[in-house]
Amino acid sequence: MNRQPEPQPWQTLDTEYLYRRPWLTMRQDRVELPNGRIITDYYVWEYPPWTNVIALTKERLAVLIRQYRHGIGQVGWELPAGVHDKPGESLLQAAQRELMEETGFGGGSWKPWMELSANPAIQNNISCTFLAENVEFTGSRQLDVTEEISVHLVSIEKLESIVLEGKMIQALHVAPVLKYLMLKKR
C-alpha cells in the first residue's frame, strides 16, 4: 500500500456560541482544512469530561447500576458514572465521588483504565474509565433529585452475559468492560 501523509489538524478561524446551558453547549466553528478549503458551519457540542467506574468488591463482584435513560426511553444496565463538573476536582476524585453517590461503595485501589470519545467528530469531551478493585460498601448514597438508581452486585460471569446479550448498551461502558473481560481471560 502506498504510504500516505498523515491527516493534519484543522485551523479554527472563528467560533460563535449558539447555545449555552449547564448541560448543553453548542458552537459553530469556521475552520480551514489543510488543503485550504473553508468550512463555515462546523458544529461542535461541548461537554465536561465524563467518568465511569468498573468497581469490583473484594469478593470479585461487579458493582453495577440500573437506571432509566429518557433519551432512549429505557431502563438499562450501566457502570456507575457521572460528570466531572466540580472545580478543583481531579478526574479520579470525580469518579470516586460518583461511585459513592450512586452506590455507597468506596475505598479500594484505583487506576486509570480507558479513555474514549462518544463522538469525536462533533463532541469535545473524553470519557475516562477507572478500574476500582476491592471496593466496600462504606456509606449511604447521595442521589441527585433526578436519579432513580438500583444497585446490583453481579459476578464477572453475569457481567459478561449482560454485555454479550446486549443488556448494557451504553457504548462508553461496554468498551471498558469488554477490555476488562478480554484481559482477565489471558
Side-chain angles (χ1 to χ4, degrees), residues 50-54 79 91 111-117 126-131 171-180 182-183:
W50 297 330
T51 63
N52 56 56
V53 183
I54 299 173
L79 298 175
L91 288 167
K111 67 180 175 182
W113 188 249
M114 191 174 214
E115 290 188 358
L116 298 166
S117 171
I126 297 294
S127 176
C128 300
T129 303
F130 291 88
L131 177 63
L172 298 173
H173 296 189
V174 170
V177 170
L178 287 175
K179 176 183 174 183
Y180 175 80
M182 289 171 60
L183 292 176

Side-chain angles (χ1 to χ4, degrees), residues 117-174:
S117 171
N119 188 342
I122 62 169
Q123 286 180 227
N124 72 331
N125 69 321
I126 297 294
S127 176
C128 300
T129 303
F130 291 88
L131 177 63
E133 298 181 287
N134 299 315
V135 300
E136 299 178 291
F137 186 77
T138 60
S140 63
R141 302 184 306 158
Q142 303 288 321
L143 298 177
D144 292 338
V145 296
T146 60
E147 291 178 320
E148 291 182 16
I149 295 173
S150 60
V151 179
H152 302 265
L153 300 179
V154 302
S155 68
I156 300 303
E157 293 76 20
K158 173 75 173 175
L159 173 62
E160 183 173 4
S161 70
I162 287 169
V163 170
L164 295 180
E165 293 171 12
K167 295 178 182 174
M168 180 183 287
I169 64 168
Q170 172 29 299
L172 298 173
H173 296 189
V174 170

Side-chain angles (χ1 to χ4, degrees), residues 37-71:
R37 180 170 179 229
I38 304 287
I39 300 175
T40 59
D41 57 350
Y42 198 92
Y43 300 97
V44 177
W45 297 96
E46 293 185 1
Y47 296 100
W50 297 330
T51 63
N52 56 56
V53 183
I54 299 173
L56 303 169
T57 66
K58 291 179 181 178
E59 298 78 24
R60 305 305 292 167
L61 297 173
V63 181
L64 298 182
I65 63 170
R66 288 181 52 80
Q67 67 179 316
Y68 174 75
R69 292 301 191 179
H70 189 66

